[in-house]
Amino acid sequence: MSEEAAAAGKATREGSSVIANVFEVLKCFTVDQTLLGVTEIAARVGLHKSSVSRILSTLELLEIVERDEESRKFRLGLGLISVAGPLLAGLDIRRLALPFMRELAEETQESVALQVWSGSESVTVEQVPSPQQIKHMAALGTRYSTYESASVQVLESHANPTKARSKATLKELAEQGYLANYGRTSPDEVGVSAPVFDHRGEVVGAIIMLAPRYRVPEERVADLGRATRDCAARISARMGAPGKA
């Protein structure tokens, strides 16, 4: 092997090692431990404190990490968003939502659907049917445009927040985290819906729980609403929504 090739191989190995060290440093930060000092990180990754300090200084310049003014420890910085944003935007909401939808359907014994906003309608893109023989369904591709529909209210109010009716809806959503349609669009049906947020904090869909009205007394609506809200919150957290973890 020539000296040039040997030098190139060594440089590649060293470069790979440096990149690996950077990732090991970043992986030290967790939901439970958002603030870490140089000594703590060095002990975890098995590097000298001077090496960790150099890595953190470079990452700080790139805004990948930032220093807490009070403790002088480090936390992950907003610069990570520019790196992770494209990945988060490309996440398949149907794939991410399905396990949580199945849990909600099992918990409530009612049908659960995921709907997205088409600009004027709420469209069903995923569904988990109720295990019960009599059920309210929302087959894939089903469209809802009537504003009294819970999912339409959730999605349209976020898409057009300046509308007068949207302002009232958003206030109700902020107070309880879900909206209910108790027989307004059909005397035989109940729908309870809650918004799903993405990593930007924007509404990208709505979870709706659907049931025959005879099976849902009015005093049960709040319980179903909270269960639907919690399901949507878990999906939002999986989507990287701020404050939903």
Side-chain angles (χ1 to χ4, degrees), residues 113-117 121-124 143-157 179-181 191-194 205-210:
L114 171 65
Q115 299 185 324
V116 298
W117 189 241
E121 297 173 308
S122 173
V123 183
T124 302
R143 294 173 177 267
Y144 298 91
S145 57
T146 305
Y147 190 72
E148 283 72 18
S149 171
S151 63
V152 172
Q153 289 187 46
V154 168
L155 294 172
E156 185 187 289
S157 62
L179 295 174
N181 168 16
V192 181
S193 186
I207 293 295
I208 185 166
M209 190 283 307
L210 306 149

Side-chain angles (χ1 to χ4, degrees), residues 135-195:
K135 65 194 73 176
H136 177 27
M137 302 279 286
L140 298 185
T142 301
R143 294 173 177 267
Y144 298 91
S145 57
T146 305
Y147 190 72
E148 283 72 18
S149 171
S151 63
V152 172
Q153 289 187 46
V154 168
L155 294 172
E156 185 187 289
S157 62
H158 281 92
N160 303 293
T162 58
K163 282 189 174 182
R165 66 185 185 185
S166 292
K167 293 178 181 179
T169 299
L170 288 171
K171 181 181 179 182
E172 185 176 356
L173 264 175
E175 291 174 350
Q176 61 186 23
Y178 67 88
L179 295 174
N181 168 16
Y182 194 76
R184 291 199 302 269
T185 53
S186 169
D188 301 320
E189 298 172 355
V190 174
V192 181
S193 186

Side-chain angles (χ1 to χ4, degrees), residues 207-225:
I207 293 295
I208 185 166
M209 190 283 307
L210 306 149
R213 186 176 175 183
Y214 82 87
R215 207 155 56 215
V216 182
E218 284 197 67
E219 57 268 24
R220 190 183 174 216
V221 172
D223 289 337
L224 294 175

Side-chain angles (χ1 to χ4, degrees), residues 78-99:
L78 295 177
L80 272 177
I81 294 175
S82 63
V83 178
L87 170 63
L88 293 172
L91 289 176
D92 185 348
I93 185 174
R94 292 174 60 189
R95 173 177 57 82
L96 294 177
L98 191 54

Side-chain angles (χ1 to χ4, degrees), residues 1 11 13 15 27 50 54 56-57 70 87 90 93 97 99 103 114 138 187-188 194 197 204-205 219 222-223 230 243:
M1 181 183 294
R13 290 192 299 273
K27 286 161 60 178
S50 62
R54 285 195 297 271
L56 290 170
S57 294
E70 184 175 340
L87 170 63
I93 185 174
E103 290 178 7
L114 171 65
D188 301 320
F197 298 86
V204 290
E219 57 268 24
D223 289 337
D230 293 345

Side-chain angles (χ1 to χ4, degrees), residues 228-244:
T228 303
R229 176 198 63 198
D230 293 345
C231 174
R234 290 195 294 272
I235 298 169
S236 298
R238 186 67 182 83
M239 294 283 291
K244 300 297 180 179

Side-chain angles (χ1 to χ4, degrees), residues 39-116:
T39 302
E40 295 170 284
I41 295 173
R44 294 186 186 190
V45 300
L47 293 174
H48 194 275
K49 288 193 293 183
S50 62
S51 298
V52 172
S53 181
R54 285 195 297 271
I55 290 173
L56 290 170
S57 294
T58 301
L59 292 175
E60 187 176 16
L61 288 174
L62 297 171
E63 299 183 339
I64 301 299
V65 299
E66 60 186 27
R67 198 186 297 265
D68 178 67
E69 292 185 4
E70 184 175 340
S71 67
R72 305 307 295 166
K73 292 186 176 183
F74 291 89
R75 64 164 65 92
L76 295 179
L78 295 177
L80 272 177
I81 294 175
S82 63
V83 178
L87 170 63
L88 293 172
L91 289 176
D92 185 348
I93 185 174
R94 292 174 60 189
R95 173 177 57 82
L96 294 177
L98 191 54
F100 301 102
M101 293 169 61
R102 287 174 175 155
E103 290 178 7
L104 181 60
E106 177 66 23
E107 176 187 349
T108 63
Q109 294 290 288
E110 304 295 353
S111 298
V112 178
L114 171 65
Q115 299 185 324
V116 298

